[in-house]
Amino acid sequence: MAISREKIFEEVKEVLVDALGLDEDEVQPKSTLMGDLGAESIDFLDIVFRLEKSFSVKIPREELFPTEGLMNNPEYVKDGKMTQKGLEAMAKSMPHTDFSSFAANPDVNKIQDLFTVDSIVNFLEAKLAA
Amino acid sequence: MRWIWIDKFLEFNSGKSAVALKNVSLAEEHVHDNVPGFPMMPECLMIEAMAQTGGILVGEMRNFEEKVVLAKINKAQFYHYVRPGDTITFHAEVESIADEAASIAGQIRRGQDIVADIKLMYSHIDNNLGGKEFPKENFVFTDMFRSLLHGFVEEKA
Protein backbone atom coordinates (compact mmCIF):
# COMPACT_ATOMS: atom_id res chain seq x y z
CA MET A 1 0.00 0.00 0.00
CA ALA A 2 1.34 3.44 -0.89
CA ILE A 3 2.24 5.68 2.00
CA SER A 4 0.07 8.80 2.27
CA ARG A 5 1.41 12.33 1.88
CA GLU A 6 0.35 13.14 5.45
CA LYS A 7 2.30 10.19 6.76
CA ILE A 8 5.37 11.21 4.73
CA PHE A 9 5.10 14.74 6.14
CA GLU A 10 4.89 13.41 9.70
CA GLU A 11 8.00 11.25 9.20
CA VAL A 12 9.89 14.12 7.55
CA LYS A 13 8.89 16.37 10.43
CA GLU A 14 10.27 13.87 12.92
CA VAL A 15 13.54 13.63 10.97
CA LEU A 16 13.91 17.43 10.93
CA VAL A 17 13.04 17.78 14.61
CA ASP A 18 15.77 15.26 15.49
CA ALA A 19 18.38 16.44 12.98
CA LEU A 20 18.03 20.16 13.69
CA GLY A 21 16.91 20.15 17.33
CA LEU A 22 13.55 21.82 16.64
CA ASP A 23 10.14 21.89 18.27
CA GLU A 24 7.46 20.06 16.28
CA ASP A 25 5.40 23.17 15.59
CA GLU A 26 8.37 24.91 13.98
CA VAL A 27 8.26 22.49 11.06
CA GLN A 28 5.66 23.68 8.57
CA PRO A 29 5.25 22.61 4.92
CA LYS A 30 6.49 26.00 3.66
CA SER A 31 9.45 26.27 6.08
CA THR A 32 12.80 26.71 4.35
CA LEU A 33 15.51 24.42 5.68
CA MET A 34 18.24 27.03 5.99
CA GLY A 35 16.33 30.28 6.51
CA ASP A 36 13.51 29.12 8.77
CA LEU A 37 14.89 25.95 10.34
CA GLY A 38 18.57 26.93 10.63
CA ALA A 39 20.09 23.99 8.72
CA GLU A 40 23.77 24.17 7.78
CA SER A 41 25.50 22.25 5.01
CA ILE A 42 26.41 19.21 7.14
CA ASP A 43 22.77 19.04 8.27
CA PHE A 44 21.70 18.33 4.67
CA LEU A 45 23.72 15.11 4.75
CA ASP A 46 22.42 14.29 8.20
CA ILE A 47 18.87 14.75 6.89
CA VAL A 48 19.60 12.51 3.89
CA PHE A 49 21.02 9.76 6.14
CA ARG A 50 18.02 9.94 8.46
CA LEU A 51 15.49 9.93 5.61
CA GLU A 52 17.18 6.87 4.12
CA LYS A 53 16.78 5.09 7.44
CA SER A 54 13.19 6.23 8.09
CA PHE A 55 11.91 5.38 4.62
CA SER A 56 14.27 2.48 3.80
CA VAL A 57 15.28 4.01 0.47
CA LYS A 58 18.62 5.02 -1.00
CA ILE A 59 18.72 8.78 -1.55
CA PRO A 60 21.72 10.17 -3.46
CA ARG A 61 22.25 13.66 -2.05
CA GLU A 62 22.52 15.18 -5.53
CA GLU A 63 19.00 13.95 -6.31
CA LEU A 64 17.39 15.65 -3.34
CA PHE A 65 19.69 18.70 -3.15
CA PRO A 66 21.23 18.95 -6.61
CA THR A 67 22.14 22.64 -6.82
CA GLU A 68 25.89 22.25 -6.29
CA GLY A 69 26.52 20.80 -9.76
CA LEU A 70 24.22 23.34 -11.35
CA MET A 71 25.84 26.33 -9.70
CA ASN A 72 29.33 25.26 -10.75
CA ASN A 73 28.33 25.28 -14.42
CA PRO A 74 29.25 28.67 -16.01
CA GLU A 75 26.55 28.20 -18.64
CA TYR A 76 23.92 28.14 -15.91
CA VAL A 77 25.05 31.08 -13.79
CA LYS A 78 25.79 34.60 -14.99
CA ASP A 79 26.26 37.75 -12.89
CA GLY A 80 24.99 36.00 -9.81
CA LYS A 81 21.75 34.87 -11.45
CA MET A 82 20.63 31.62 -13.00
CA THR A 83 20.39 31.85 -16.79
CA GLN A 84 17.35 30.60 -18.71
CA LYS A 85 19.32 27.47 -19.53
CA GLY A 86 20.20 27.09 -15.85
CA LEU A 87 16.57 27.44 -14.82
CA GLU A 88 15.57 24.79 -17.34
CA ALA A 89 18.26 22.45 -16.02
CA MET A 90 17.10 23.11 -12.47
CA ALA A 91 13.48 22.41 -13.30
CA LYS A 92 14.56 19.14 -14.87
CA SER A 93 16.72 17.96 -12.00
CA MET A 94 14.47 19.26 -9.23
CA PRO A 95 10.92 18.37 -10.23
CA HIS A 96 10.03 18.21 -6.55
CA THR A 97 10.67 21.93 -6.09
CA ASP A 98 8.39 24.95 -6.46
CA PHE A 99 10.19 27.48 -8.66
CA SER A 100 7.32 29.93 -9.13
CA SER A 101 8.78 32.80 -7.06
CA PHE A 102 12.43 31.97 -7.72
CA ALA A 103 12.06 32.17 -11.53
CA ALA A 104 10.99 35.85 -11.27
CA ASN A 105 14.30 36.75 -9.60
CA PRO A 106 16.73 33.84 -9.98
CA ASP A 107 19.41 35.25 -7.66
CA VAL A 108 21.81 32.39 -6.76
CA ASN A 109 21.76 33.56 -3.15
CA LYS A 110 18.07 32.70 -3.06
CA ILE A 111 18.62 29.11 -4.14
CA GLN A 112 18.73 27.96 -0.54
CA ASP A 113 15.11 29.10 -0.13
CA LEU A 114 14.07 26.43 -2.65
CA PHE A 115 14.78 23.73 -0.10
CA THR A 116 11.57 23.57 1.87
CA VAL A 117 9.88 20.88 3.91
CA ASP A 118 7.37 20.54 1.07
CA SER A 119 10.15 19.88 -1.47
CA ILE A 120 11.39 16.95 0.63
CA VAL A 121 7.85 15.58 0.94
CA ASN A 122 7.34 15.94 -2.84
CA PHE A 123 10.63 14.18 -3.51
CA LEU A 124 9.77 11.26 -1.24
CA GLU A 125 6.24 10.98 -2.56
CA ALA A 126 7.62 10.52 -6.09
CA LYS A 127 10.48 8.28 -4.93
CA LEU A 128 8.25 5.96 -2.94
CA ALA A 129 5.69 5.73 -5.72
CA ALA A 130 8.37 4.77 -8.29
CA MET B 1 52.05 16.15 19.24
CA ARG B 2 48.49 15.13 18.93
CA TRP B 3 46.23 14.09 21.78
CA ILE B 4 44.98 10.59 21.41
CA TRP B 5 42.21 9.78 23.81
CA ILE B 6 42.06 6.03 23.37
CA ASP B 7 44.73 3.64 24.60
CA LYS B 8 44.10 0.72 22.27
CA PHE B 9 41.55 -1.12 20.18
CA LEU B 10 39.94 -4.29 21.53
CA GLU B 11 37.95 -5.12 18.40
CA PHE B 12 37.98 -3.84 14.84
CA ASN B 13 35.52 -5.10 12.24
CA SER B 14 36.37 -3.18 9.10
CA GLY B 15 33.45 -1.11 7.79
CA LYS B 16 31.16 -2.21 10.60
CA SER B 17 32.18 -1.67 14.20
CA ALA B 18 35.05 -1.07 16.59
CA VAL B 19 35.68 -1.16 20.31
CA ALA B 20 38.45 0.92 21.90
CA LEU B 21 39.57 1.17 25.51
CA LYS B 22 40.84 3.96 27.73
CA ASN B 23 42.19 3.77 31.26
CA VAL B 24 41.53 6.96 33.21
CA SER B 25 44.32 7.88 35.61
CA LEU B 26 44.64 10.39 38.44
CA ALA B 27 47.97 11.34 36.87
CA GLU B 28 46.19 12.88 33.86
CA GLU B 29 46.03 16.63 34.29
CA HIS B 30 42.67 17.14 32.63
CA VAL B 31 40.79 15.06 35.23
CA HIS B 32 41.50 17.78 37.80
CA ASP B 33 40.44 20.78 35.75
CA ASN B 34 36.74 20.22 35.07
CA VAL B 35 35.34 20.29 38.62
CA PRO B 36 37.99 21.35 41.18
CA GLY B 37 38.10 18.87 44.07
CA PHE B 38 36.17 16.20 42.12
CA PRO B 39 38.53 14.56 39.65
CA MET B 40 36.63 13.20 36.67
CA MET B 41 37.09 12.59 32.95
CA PRO B 42 35.57 15.59 31.13
CA GLU B 43 32.62 14.66 28.94
CA CYS B 44 33.91 16.71 26.02
CA LEU B 45 37.09 14.62 25.94
CA MET B 46 35.07 11.42 26.04
CA ILE B 47 33.19 12.70 22.99
CA GLU B 48 36.56 13.31 21.34
CA ALA B 49 37.66 9.76 22.21
CA MET B 50 34.43 8.43 20.72
CA ALA B 51 35.06 10.58 17.64
CA GLN B 52 38.55 9.12 17.32
CA THR B 53 37.26 5.54 17.63
CA GLY B 54 34.55 6.14 15.01
CA GLY B 55 36.81 8.32 12.85
CA ILE B 56 39.42 5.57 12.52
CA LEU B 57 36.62 3.11 11.71
CA VAL B 58 35.27 5.38 8.97
CA GLY B 59 38.73 6.32 7.65
CA GLU B 60 39.88 2.71 7.40
CA MET B 61 36.88 1.89 5.17
CA ARG B 62 38.55 3.89 2.41
CA ASN B 63 42.12 3.02 3.31
CA PHE B 64 42.68 6.40 5.02
CA GLU B 65 42.53 8.21 1.70
CA GLU B 66 39.84 10.59 2.95
CA LYS B 67 40.37 13.25 5.56
CA VAL B 68 37.66 12.39 8.04
CA VAL B 69 36.78 15.11 10.56
CA LEU B 70 34.09 15.41 13.18
CA ALA B 71 31.33 17.58 11.74
CA LYS B 72 28.36 17.24 14.04
CA ILE B 73 27.44 15.81 17.42
CA ASN B 74 23.93 14.47 16.88
CA LYS B 75 23.56 13.14 20.38
CA ALA B 76 25.66 13.04 23.55
CA GLN B 77 23.80 11.87 26.61
CA PHE B 78 25.81 11.00 29.72
CA TYR B 79 24.46 8.91 32.59
CA HIS B 80 27.47 8.50 34.90
CA TYR B 81 30.64 10.30 35.92
CA VAL B 82 33.89 8.64 34.89
CA ARG B 83 36.49 8.83 37.66
CA PRO B 84 40.22 8.06 37.92
CA GLY B 85 40.77 4.32 38.10
CA ASP B 86 37.91 3.61 35.70
CA THR B 87 38.41 1.70 32.49
CA ILE B 88 35.99 2.80 29.79
CA THR B 89 35.29 1.30 26.41
CA PHE B 90 34.10 3.07 23.28
CA HIS B 91 31.76 1.07 21.05
CA ALA B 92 31.23 2.49 17.57
CA GLU B 93 29.04 1.24 14.72
CA VAL B 94 28.90 2.70 11.23
CA GLU B 95 25.35 3.86 10.51
CA SER B 96 25.69 5.52 7.09
CA ILE B 97 28.44 6.39 4.68
CA ALA B 98 28.42 8.48 1.49
CA ASP B 99 31.10 10.22 -0.57
CA GLU B 100 30.87 13.39 1.48
CA ALA B 101 30.15 12.14 4.97
CA ALA B 102 29.52 9.30 7.39
CA SER B 103 27.66 8.77 10.64
CA ILE B 104 28.22 6.44 13.58
CA ALA B 105 26.25 5.35 16.61
CA GLY B 106 28.37 5.00 19.72
CA GLN B 107 28.18 3.97 23.32
CA ILE B 108 30.66 4.50 26.15
CA ARG B 109 30.62 1.76 28.77
CA ARG B 110 32.31 1.04 32.09
CA GLY B 111 32.04 -2.70 32.49
CA GLN B 112 28.34 -3.40 31.99
CA ASP B 113 27.27 0.19 32.83
CA ILE B 114 26.33 2.48 29.99
CA VAL B 115 28.13 5.78 30.60
CA ALA B 116 26.88 7.58 27.49
CA ASP B 117 25.04 7.28 24.19
CA ILE B 118 26.72 9.25 21.44
CA LYS B 119 25.91 9.77 17.77
CA LEU B 120 28.33 11.57 15.51
CA MET B 121 28.66 12.75 11.93
CA TYR B 122 31.92 13.06 10.03
CA SER B 123 32.70 15.08 6.95
CA HIS B 124 35.08 13.83 4.26
CA ILE B 125 36.49 17.29 3.89
CA ASP B 126 37.97 16.94 0.42
CA ASN B 127 34.39 16.44 -0.76
CA ASN B 128 32.99 19.32 1.26
CA LEU B 129 29.95 21.13 -0.07
CA GLY B 130 31.66 24.51 0.06
CA GLY B 131 34.26 23.34 -2.46
CA LYS B 132 37.07 24.46 -0.13
CA GLU B 133 40.47 22.91 -0.84
CA PHE B 134 42.70 21.35 1.80
CA PRO B 135 46.37 20.28 1.69
CA LYS B 136 46.99 16.95 -0.06
CA GLU B 137 48.77 15.48 2.94
CA ASN B 138 46.40 13.57 5.20
CA PHE B 139 46.85 15.54 8.42
CA VAL B 140 44.03 13.65 10.11
CA PHE B 141 45.38 10.13 10.03
CA THR B 142 48.97 10.50 11.12
CA ASP B 143 51.22 7.48 11.67
CA MET B 144 50.62 7.71 15.41
CA PHE B 145 46.90 7.44 14.89
CA ARG B 146 47.18 4.56 12.46
CA SER B 147 49.57 2.69 14.74
CA LEU B 148 46.59 1.98 16.99
CA LEU B 149 45.39 -0.46 14.36
CA HIS B 150 48.55 -2.60 14.30
CA GLY B 151 47.51 -6.22 14.49
CA PHE B 152 43.86 -5.49 13.69
CA VAL B 153 43.91 -4.79 9.97
CA GLU B 154 46.25 -5.87 7.25
CA GLU B 155 48.79 -3.13 6.59
CA LYS B 156 48.17 -1.71 3.13
CA ALA B 157 51.05 -0.27 1.15
Side-chain angles (χ1 to χ4, degrees):
Chain A
M1 200 180 81
I3 179 168
S4 72
R5 190 177 170 85
E6 289 70 31
K7 180 89 182 111
I8 294 174
F9 174 74
E10 287 306 316
E11 292 258 350
V12 168
K13 180 153 85 173
E14 203 172 307
V15 161
L16 295 173
V17 163
D18 288 346
L20 304 174
L22 303 165
D23 290 329
E24 288 216 355
D25 56 6
E26 288 180 84
V27 183
Q28 299 297 324
K30 299 288 175 210
S31 309
T32 60
L33 297 188
M34 294 179 100
D36 295 334
L37 304 182
E40 294 177 23
S41 60
I42 192 70
D43 296 320
F44 281 72
L45 288 157
D46 189 13
I47 291 166
V48 165
F49 284 163
R50 286 170 190 263
L51 290 172
E52 284 184 334
K53 219 171 171 187
S54 287
F55 291 91
S56 307
V57 283
K58 188 84 199 134
I59 303 173
R61 185 187 54 82
E62 62 278 10
E63 262 186 42
L64 181 55
F65 305 120
T67 52
E68 195 185 337
L70 295 168
M71 282 168 67
N72 292 338
N73 187 330
E75 269 192 73
Y76 294 164
V77 181
K78 202 178 169 197
D79 302 329
K81 287 184 187 285
M82 295 301 283
T83 60
Q84 189 54 37
K85 210 169 172 185
L87 282 172
E88 282 163 20
M90 268 181 118
K92 203 169 164 190
S93 61
M94 301 166 71
H96 49 284
T97 309
D98 177 8
F99 290 99
S100 50
S101 56
F102 179 74
N105 178 20
D107 185 334
V108 289
N109 294 315
K110 301 264 181 216
I111 283 185
Q112 62 184 52
D113 295 341
L114 292 172
F115 302 125
T116 61
V117 176
D118 251 350
S119 72
I120 298 179
V121 175
N122 291 342
F123 174 85
L124 287 164
E125 203 176 18
K127 186 103 188 159
L128 297 170
Chain B
M1 176 63 196
R2 166 172 195 145
W3 283 1
I4 295 187
W5 294 103
I6 52 182
D7 293 337
K8 63 175 181 178
F9 275 98
L10 297 176
E11 289 172 28
F12 197 89
N13 302 308
S14 180
K16 292 192 182 100
S17 64
V19 182
L21 174 148
K22 172 168 177 59
N23 288 311
V24 179
S25 162
L26 198 59
E28 290 172 280
E29 236 174 81
H30 57 269
V31 303
H32 300 278
D33 296 339
N34 217 30
V35 184
F38 185 80
M40 60 175 284
M41 178 79 188
E43 279 90 358
C44 55
L45 295 180
M46 287 194 269
I47 296 173
E48 171 62 20
M50 189 79 240
Q52 293 181 356
T53 306
I56 293 174
L57 179 63
V58 169
E60 194 274 339
M61 287 174 81
R62 299 195 176 179
N63 198 22
F64 299 109
E65 282 162 13
E66 309 265 14
K67 301 181 187 85
V68 178
V69 297
L70 178 62
K72 184 175 176 179
I73 300 167
N74 287 331
K75 178 180 184 179
Q77 194 166 8
F78 285 83
Y79 313 109
H80 295 287
Y81 294 120
V82 170
R83 309 291 309 274
D86 286 346
T87 295
I88 48 176
T89 50
F90 299 88
H91 302 250
E93 273 183 33
V94 176
E95 279 207 317
S96 304
I97 184 157
D99 285 345
E100 312 90 342
S103 67
I104 64 125
Q107 203 165 60
I108 303 174
R109 297 181 201 157
R110 180 180 50 208
Q112 297 301 312
D113 288 344
I114 297 169
V115 171
D117 282 310
I118 295 181
K119 291 191 171 205
L120 303 173
M121 266 199 88
Y122 300 88
S123 174
H124 296 156
I125 56 172
D126 287 326
N127 289 310
N128 67 90
L129 299 180
K132 191 170 161 51
E133 286 193 24
F134 289 89
K136 279 209 170 130
E137 171 213 343
N138 197 330
F139 49 84
V140 178
F141 296 113
T142 56
D143 288 347
M144 197 168 163
F145 230 141
R146 292 168 68 161
S147 70
L148 284 165
L149 282 185
H150 283 322
F152 282 98
V153 292
E154 205 177 311
E155 303 282 323
K156 291 169 189 165

